[in-house]
Amino acid sequence: MFLQSAAKPIDDSLKKLVDEIEAQSPALSVLAARQFRYSLYQIPVEVTIKEPRHFNVLEEFIIRAGIELNPPPTENELASVLGLDPVFVRSTARTLKTLQTLSATSPITVTPEGRLFYEKGSVPQPPYSVQVYAVADPLNEKIIFQSEPLSTVVLKQPDLADFVKIDRKIADISSLSIESVQQIISASGLALHLPKSGKIVTSCKVVAPTQTIWKTISLFVLFDVLEDKLSLQVRSGKQILESISNWLSALQTEGKVSLQALCELSDETINIERETTLNKKNAEIEARVEKIQ
């Protein structure tokens, strides 16, 4: 029989989850369960995006004339052929030059970039900027981008950093290459960098000071009856955080983490639980042997 929860240092908010863990894995006993908070770092950033748009009819005529006619016409000559006011053709050509689809020379000359866009039926647009939020998570050793900021809620749980030195490395957002930023944005699920459709993030810059955001995690001290082994498990809600669990377990094995300080779990409680569970296991084995005999 495992020790009752009342005899263990288990936060009230985690008792239901503790019961579920032990019910799902009868060989496991939760010796302690406690919630902590740890800090995330939210950095407001501005990303610049470049993407194409479908060209209109007049833009298509101008680009086609520059590619297909030999010699290519001037803007006034093309306006005369199309029966249009030269003002419209010159204005549209000026826009295409600004977008680097046409060169600034006369007659009409399509740039190499303009030819590539023409093959796709589009022209580039002027770059535009979008504000997003980079969230650095030192404990998970990762950075994600979000379209909306995390809320700055005050949490009352003890700070994990008061018990464990969190020196896991994470890159400074301002030092990331644009290729790294593009990869993280894509992995974060934001539809800002879509190379196949021509939508490209071209730059990223920090636009406001970093904010500290608190997040809650739960720590469980588990005793495995079958393996006669103690381990630490960290969860966010019901999700097991494997990397953090392994990291904390390694620190505990190396004697760099005190379970007494972390969870008010004494060696005496651990020894009582171990002895109780092993005795229970031996009694079950003896009972099976007697039935066989």
Side-chain angles (χ1 to χ4, degrees):
M1 191 79 163
F2 292 150
L3 289 176
Q4 297 300 311
S5 294
K8 306 174 188 178
I10 294 176
D11 286 358
D12 290 341
S13 59
L14 296 176
K15 287 182 178 179
K16 183 178 179 182
L17 184 52
V18 167
D19 290 341
E20 291 179 8
I21 292 172
E22 293 185 338
Q24 291 169 2
S25 303
L28 290 182
S29 173
V30 179
L31 305 188
R34 189 179 187 187
Q35 285 192 319
F36 293 90
R37 61 187 170 101
Y38 76 98
S39 53
L40 306 175
Y41 301 101
Q42 181 169 267
I43 308 104
V45 299
E46 184 180 271
V47 294
T48 301
I49 299 169
K50 182 178 180 181
E51 66 177 318
R53 62 168 173 79
H54 292 294
F55 45 55
N56 60 41
V57 174
L58 183 53
E59 288 171 336
E60 181 179 5
F61 274 122
I62 293 173
I63 296 172
R64 284 184 63 186
I67 293 175
E68 298 177 3
L69 297 184
N70 188 20
T74 64
E75 294 164 12
N76 287 340
E77 288 171 343
L78 181 60
S80 178
V81 170
L82 296 176
L84 296 174
D85 188 325
V87 172
F88 293 125
V89 176
R90 286 198 295 268
S91 175
T92 302
R94 189 180 308 114
T95 299
L96 293 174
K97 292 174 184 178
T98 302
L99 298 175
Q100 299 181 337
T101 301
L102 297 182
S103 66
T105 59
S106 183
I108 295 170
T109 304
V110 181
T111 64
E113 183 179 15
R115 288 176 178 269
L116 291 175
F117 277 106
Y118 177 71
E119 291 173 3
K120 298 177 181 179
S122 62
V123 291
Q125 297 186 87
Y128 63 94
S129 297
V130 175
Q131 180 167 319
V132 293
Y133 300 85
V135 179
D137 186 338
L139 207 54
N140 278 299
E141 294 183 298
K142 70 177 183 179
I143 298 173
I144 63 170
F145 283 91
Q146 298 189 164
S147 58
E148 299 294 333
L150 295 172
S151 57
T152 54
V153 178
V154 176
L155 299 178
K156 297 181 179 179
Q157 290 88 355
D159 185 356
L160 183 63
D162 291 338
F163 304 90
V164 182
K165 183 179 180 182
I166 303 175
D167 56 359
R168 310 186 90 192
K169 303 298 182 184
I170 192 165
D172 182 351
I173 187 69
S174 60
S175 68
L176 292 176
S177 66
I178 188 59
E179 291 79 13
S180 295
V181 170
Q182 291 169 346
Q183 291 173 4
I184 296 171
I185 286 176
S186 296
S188 300
L190 297 184
L192 299 178
H193 182 70
L194 304 170
K196 289 184 178 180
S197 63
K199 190 175 185 179
I200 306 294
V201 171
T202 59
S203 66
C204 174
K205 66 177 180 180
V206 176
V207 294
T210 299
Q211 299 171 289
T212 298
I213 307 292
W214 293 104
K215 183 177 180 179
T216 301
I217 55 171
S218 303
L219 172 66
F220 299 86
V221 181
L222 307 177
F223 179 69
D224 190 316
V225 181
L226 299 179
E227 297 186 11
D228 189 13
K229 180 182 178 182
L230 199 72
S231 64
L232 304 185
Q233 186 183 90
V234 179
R235 297 191 180 209
S236 176
K238 293 188 176 184
Q239 179 188 5
I240 299 173
L241 305 177
E242 295 287 357
S243 175
I244 303 175
S245 298
N246 295 337
W247 170 66
L248 273 179
S249 291
L251 291 180
Q252 192 271 329
T253 301
E254 296 167 6
K256 297 179 180 179
V257 170
S258 167
L259 294 182
Q260 177 68 55
L262 262 182
C263 306
E264 299 178 355
L265 183 62
S266 66
D267 290 339
E268 180 183 2
T269 301
I270 295 173
N271 291 333
I272 291 173
E273 178 70 3
R274 178 178 180 276
E275 182 179 351
T276 301
T277 53
L278 291 178
N279 287 341
K280 178 178 180 289
K281 179 182 177 182
N282 290 334
E284 290 174 349
I285 293 174
E286 292 174 1
R288 286 198 298 268
V289 170
E290 289 178 0
K291 287 183 178 181
I292 293 173
Q293 293 176 345

